[in-house]
Amino acid sequence: MIIDISNLHASVNGTEIIKGLNLQIGPGEVHAIMGPNGSGKSTLAQTLAGKSDYEVTAGTVTYKGADLLALEADERARAGLFLGFQYPVEIPGVSNVYMLKAALNARRKAKGLAEIDSVEFMRFVREKAKLMQLDQSFLSRGVNEGFSGGEKKRNEIFQMAVLEPDLAILDETDSGLDIDALKVVANGVNAQRDGERAFLLITHYQRLLDYIKPDYVHVLANGRIVRSGTHELALELEANGYDGVLAAAG
Amino acid sequence: MASKQQDVKDLVERKYRHGFVTDIESDTLPPGIDEDVIRHISQVKGEPQFMLDWRLKAYRLWQDMQAPNWAKLKLEPIDYQAISYYSAPKKDENAPKSLDEVDPKLLETYDKLGIPLHERARLAGVAVDAVFDSVSVTTTFKDKLADAGVIFCSFSEAVKQHPELIERYLGTVVPQRDNFFAALNSAVFTDGSFVYVPKGVRCPMELSTYFRINAANTGQFERTLIIADEGSHVSYLEGCTAPQRDENQLHAAVVELIAEKDAEIKYSTVQNWYPGDENGRGGIYNFVTKRGDCRGDRSKISWTQVEAGSAITWKYPSCILRGAQSVGEFYSVAVTNNYQQADTGTKMIHIGPGTRSTIISKGISAGQAQNAYRGLVKMMPTAENARNYTQCDSLLMGNQCGAHTFPYMEIKNPSAIVEHEATTSKIADDQLFYCRQRGLSEEDAVNMIVNGFCKEVFRELPMEFAVEAQNLMNVSLEGAVG
């Protein structure tokens, strides 16, 4: 088991958003969480990543056999938990490669590996950039500085490809992408599926799932998973809408 | 276990790294200032009559002047009679000819400071004119510079060896009456550096001086004069560290730069004087007058400064753009933490036609610190088609510090173009979280964001200084977030 979430309750500014959520993700599995606006999808992602204003009030999260909730955000990241942000922030003046190298070395250090040397790093990074169809100039630009919406999302998947996490949580990575960009992003994710790495895709739309085939689909409503199924469930959602599915789930 | 505890203890007690005092016997004048003190200084330095007259004139002017009070600084009045105006290492009379002759204690001090005086200097290709208290101890690379015709020596030596240059140029950029601190410096300065780069010569190496305050209660009054003759080029690096002290120490330096026709001077500073403790006790009062005169056509003077230390910083490196098409630049990072106060900026005085200036100022405040940018862009009636671009950015960390911007513009020529941009931002929680989610510790994340903020300035620094500057940022902002 990569991650085991049991009876998770989480609040933001005193308001409970996640209300008893259970989810288990095994190695190599791709899970999709779908749900209407305000159901708690992004709160779940931010809570798992350890954002400070998201308070866990009950429940447990076991990540690779250890208590995830006891770790700081950066410790979680170094333990291989990656969050692809819905709204990646800009960090002016800090180049993409500079941050990535620092991040990769932090992760390698946590694994007990030596720092990667610059030549090897650049070779590695260029290869990943090619995969994401990113121009070389992209590497030296400031982190997300002046990037278009699509570029920011591609950059997230690019970072994931470089950091090679054990669990990648992708928060609405498909939102705001045109069909070509969506394909590039999906290809980037699919290339990272190796039977070990686990994915949690958070999305509004079934469209993404045409390109990244999930093993399981969950419907989140009012802070809980109300239905789980296979890819079929996503198609049903598309046909009947959330209202229909939620009504059937009671 | 014991070693682990020691590590923790070291970490907790880690303070200003360069805070220590070397006990070398000093020949120090008793506190106080009068004409006799000035005569004494001039005499022990074996100066010619014109220097003494110049000092006395400055002293008389100073007596009628008031310390400026317009800066956004809070400080106790300084008792100028409580300061000792001269301190020199004892073995002054037999000045060392080489490093082997230098007092080993002194070398040890340099070593602690990490000054690349020995092999490191040679390897780095940097000539070091190291100032210890007020007397220059040794100068390296003199021969190589002499081959190129470049004069790089202590100010005292220049007064003896090249009095005609001193008499011709001293005070022509910053006259004695310029301001209170410049007048005081003119009266009592004890040493500093002198550079003359002859016509058409490109100085073969970066010139570097390390300043250091040592003896207690001794104000430091450095005087630097750099002359780049027609078509020459020189890059000068100045870096400071100071020992930890409880009482405030006054530092009032004057730097004068002169660029003749087609000459270029690049002056870079990393200032790291003792900033006081986390409660605002102690620390250096740094009142500096730095000014460059672009005397000739197409000359260029570029100031780059990283101001991280001092309890009080009062400093406005400026350019007088006299020559046609001359260029002035000011790149500054000023970081203040705890109770530090900085009021710093520049003046660009456009006189010649087609003159251009660029001002990039980055202020970072943390703790209870106050950081002010103060700048003047003046376009004289003769400054046809002159241009200025000013960018002032402030970064706040926490909510008890302050950032202030005071841009002044005086435009007396309608063809001049002046642009000003200013931003104030906080390190956003979202930025920190983003970096931490990629695996960076909070401290590393802050350092990275701050260094990104300062990038436009750091890239103007010579390579070896850029790295130091980044490290300095990290040390200065330790514990600023959290």
Side-chain angles (χ1 to χ4, degrees):
Chain A
M1 199 62 58
I2 296 282
I3 195 166
D4 184 351
I5 305 168
S6 174
N7 189 34
L8 183 70
H9 290 256
S11 300
V12 183
N13 299 324
T15 306
E16 188 169 69
I17 309 283
I18 303 292
K19 303 169 180 174
L21 185 141
N22 297 292
L23 181 65
Q24 297 184 328
I25 301 175
E29 293 176 0
V30 177
H31 290 239
I33 287 192
M34 305 181 71
N37 283 328
S39 58
K41 299 190 301 292
S42 283
T43 300
L44 175 64
Q46 305 268 331
T47 304
L48 293 177
K51 187 148 195 220
S52 54
D53 24 344
Y54 289 68
E55 192 194 352
V56 174
T57 52
T60 58
V61 181
T62 307
Y63 173 74
K64 295 197 292 181
D67 180 7
L68 183 75
L69 302 176
L71 302 178
E72 293 288 330
D74 47 309
E75 294 171 322
R76 296 181 195 193
R78 291 196 292 272
L81 186 148
F82 178 90
L83 172 62
F85 284 75
Q86 184 178 2
Y87 303 110
V89 297
E90 301 192 2
I91 306 175
V94 177
S95 78
N96 249 329
V97 276
Y98 183 83
M99 188 181 87
L100 263 182
K101 191 169 177 223
L104 183 61
N105 279 330
R107 176 132 161 75
R108 287 176 66 95
K109 201 172 160 194
K111 281 191 198 168
L113 296 171
E115 291 203 351
I116 191 165
D117 82 76
S118 295
V119 176
E120 197 189 331
F121 174 74
M122 283 315 292
R123 196 186 302 131
F124 179 62
V125 158
R126 286 209 180 95
E127 184 189 304
K128 301 290 186 187
K130 207 184 255 173
L131 172 75
M132 293 310 297
Q133 300 183 15
L134 291 171
D135 193 76
Q136 295 295 321
S137 67
F138 192 84
L139 299 175
S140 50
R141 284 166 66 185
V143 176
N144 293 318
E145 203 180 350
F147 286 16
S148 69
E151 283 177 324
K152 283 183 182 173
K153 295 300 175 68
R154 270 196 280 167
N155 193 30
E156 293 295 289
I157 304 303
F158 165 61
Q159 292 185 14
M160 177 186 81
V162 171
L163 296 175
E164 303 182 322
D166 299 316
L167 171 64
I169 302 167
L170 305 179
D171 189 4
E172 304 215 11
T173 299
D174 52 331
S175 66
L177 294 184
D178 62 32
I179 195 72
D180 292 334
L182 183 70
K183 281 182 188 167
V184 172
V185 164
N187 286 341
V189 172
N190 287 329
Q192 295 295 303
R193 292 177 73 167
D194 61 358
E196 287 298 319
R197 186 165 297 121
F199 291 86
L200 180 58
L201 310 174
I202 290 173
T203 181
H204 252 319
Y205 305 108
Q206 116 80 18
R207 189 179 67 157
L208 176 71
L209 307 183
D210 287 340
Y211 299 97
I212 308 171
K213 292 278 185 288
D215 299 303
Y216 300 96
V217 173
H218 310 277
V219 179
L220 187 68
N222 197 24
R224 305 175 65 167
I225 288 175
V226 293
R227 259 189 85 182
S228 294
T230 61
H231 190 203
E232 300 297 315
L233 179 56
L235 299 171
E236 188 188 330
L237 276 172
E238 189 170 56
N240 303 335
Y242 286 112
D243 289 345
V245 173
L246 294 178
Chain B
M1 196 60 200
S3 80
K4 192 155 200 185
Q5 277 174 356
Q6 190 56 43
D7 284 351
V8 172
K9 195 160 172 279
D10 288 350
L11 202 68
V12 169
E13 292 179 354
R14 183 164 48 162
K15 292 270 167 59
Y16 189 67
R17 198 159 58 91
H18 300 325
F20 46 80
V21 176
T22 307
D23 58 340
I24 290 177
E25 278 181 272
S26 291
D27 165 23
T28 301
L29 275 183
I33 182 168
D34 56 24
E35 292 203 2
D36 286 343
V37 165
I38 289 156
R39 285 176 206 283
H40 179 85
I41 292 170
S42 192
Q43 190 195 342
V44 294
K45 303 193 77 62
E47 289 179 348
Q49 185 64 34
F50 82 87
M51 271 310 309
L52 175 62
D53 294 344
W54 198 82
R55 288 175 181 277
L56 289 171
K57 182 183 166 199
Y59 176 68
R60 286 161 197 157
L61 287 164
W62 178 73
Q63 283 179 299
D64 292 331
M65 295 171 91
Q66 300 291 321
N69 60 2
W70 40 261
K72 193 166 172 50
L73 301 170
K74 276 187 205 155
L75 71 157
E76 296 295 314
I78 298 164
D79 181 358
Y80 293 92
Q81 295 299 342
I83 295 169
S84 165
Y85 289 86
Y86 185 75
S87 165
K90 263 268 159 86
K91 291 166 187 166
D92 188 24
E93 55 276 7
N94 15 317
K97 308 280 183 296
S98 75
L99 280 174
D100 303 336
E101 296 177 29
V102 171
D103 189 328
K105 268 258 173 69
L106 212 50
L107 290 176
E108 207 181 296
T109 305
Y110 289 137
D111 218 45
K112 283 191 214 165
L113 283 169
I115 293 176
L117 198 65
H118 251 301
E119 275 75 15
R120 276 178 286 176
R122 232 167 283 267
L123 287 171
V126 173
V128 176
D129 174 9
V131 176
F132 184 84
D133 272 359
S134 311
V135 170
S136 292
V137 176
T138 181
T139 305
T140 50
F141 286 102
K142 235 179 202 173
D143 295 344
K144 195 171 167 190
L145 290 169
D147 286 347
V150 174
I151 303 168
F152 176 37
C153 61
S154 72
F155 203 94
S156 323
E157 198 180 329
V159 169
K160 286 181 192 135
Q161 304 294 326
H162 311 281
E164 71 295 344
L165 287 173
I166 297 293
E167 197 167 10
R168 183 167 156 208
Y169 287 104
L170 179 66
T172 61
V173 186
V174 181
Q176 292 117 311
R177 68 172 66 81
D178 190 80
N179 68 71
F180 181 84
F181 297 108
L184 179 62
N185 173 288
S186 300
V188 301
F189 74 87
T190 43
D191 218 328
S193 296
F194 177 81
V195 177
Y196 174 79
V197 189
K199 278 185 189 173
V201 170
R202 200 179 170 88
C203 187
M205 60 188 75
E206 308 256 5
L207 302 180
S208 169
T209 300
Y210 288 82
F211 297 87
R212 191 153 147 67
I213 290 180
N214 204 282
N217 279 325
T218 304
Q220 279 269 301
F221 302 95
E222 301 283 350
R223 189 94 197 182
T224 300
L225 177 57
I226 300 176
I227 302 146
D229 214 328
E230 288 182 16
S232 70
H233 178 283
V234 63
S235 172
Y236 186 89
L237 287 66
E238 170 203 330
C240 317
T241 54
Q244 184 150 5
R245 286 253 156 244
D246 230 358
E247 63 269 54
N248 292 306
Q249 287 187 303
L250 178 66
H251 182 79
V254 172
V255 176
E256 295 179 279
L257 310 183
I258 295 150
E260 299 285 8
K261 200 169 71 150
D262 295 307
E264 183 176 342
I265 302 175
K266 184 172 172 61
Y267 192 105
S268 312
T269 306
V270 172
Q271 185 268 113
N272 186 25
W273 299 110
Y274 178 54
D277 66 16
E278 54 275 21
N279 299 312
R281 285 187 337 129
I284 303 295
Y285 285 8
N286 197 25
F287 295 92
V288 183
T289 305
K290 288 184 168 176
R291 194 173 304 150
D293 190 354
C294 284
R295 235 163 245 191
D297 294 351
R298 295 173 303 278
S299 57
K300 178 177 174 184
I301 288 178
S302 181
W303 298 99
T304 306
Q305 61 172 18
V306 177
E307 300 287 317
S310 298
I312 303 271
T313 299
W314 179 97
K315 183 178 173 188
Y316 316 91
S318 305
C319 297
I320 300 168
L321 303 171
R322 216 185 288 276
Q325 279 106 44
S326 59
V327 175
E329 293 175 338
F330 174 73
Y331 299 97
S332 171
V333 166
V335 53
T336 48
N337 197 358
N338 298 318
Y339 287 88
Q340 279 178 279
Q341 305 177 67
D343 192 303
T344 184
T346 184
K347 287 190 279 187
M348 293 291 174
I349 314 294
H350 292 253
I351 299 171
T355 47
R356 284 176 292 136
S357 63
T358 303
I359 299 170
I360 308 281
S361 165
K362 306 277 181 177
I364 301 161
S365 311
Q368 280 82 23
Q370 296 295 324
N371 202 322
Y373 166 80
R374 188 181 301 277
L376 169 66
V377 175
K378 192 169 184 175
M379 300 290 185
M380 301 297 278
T382 46
E384 206 64 35
N385 297 313
R387 294 195 67 142
N388 163 265
Y389 173 75
T390 299
Q391 183 190 327
C392 265
D393 298 322
S394 304
L395 188 68
L396 300 172
M397 299 169 75
N399 46 24
Q400 290 177 298
C401 54
H404 316 275
T405 306
F406 304 100
Y408 304 89
M409 291 177 196
E410 287 179 39
I411 317 298
K412 294 176 178 164
N413 184 310
S415 69
I417 299 174
V418 177
E419 290 174 79
H420 181 92
E421 288 180 28
T423 65
T424 301
S425 55
K426 285 189 76 165
I427 290 191
D429 288 345
D430 284 350
Q431 285 178 321
L432 276 180
F433 180 58
Y434 189 78
C435 295
R436 294 185 71 191
Q437 211 302 305
R438 294 300 179 252
L440 302 175
S441 68
E442 183 161 46
E443 201 179 323
D444 288 346
V446 169
N447 290 341
M448 198 171 74
I449 293 166
V450 168
N451 279 314
F453 176 76
C454 301
K455 195 178 184 178
E456 286 160 284
V457 174
F458 286 169
R459 71 174 172 218
E460 296 297 327
L461 288 169
M463 195 58 142
E464 61 266 41
F465 253 29
V467 176
E468 252 180 60
Q470 288 203 14
N471 293 337
L472 192 55
M473 279 303 106
N474 303 350
V475 172
S476 302
L477 290 170
E478 238 165 48
V481 163

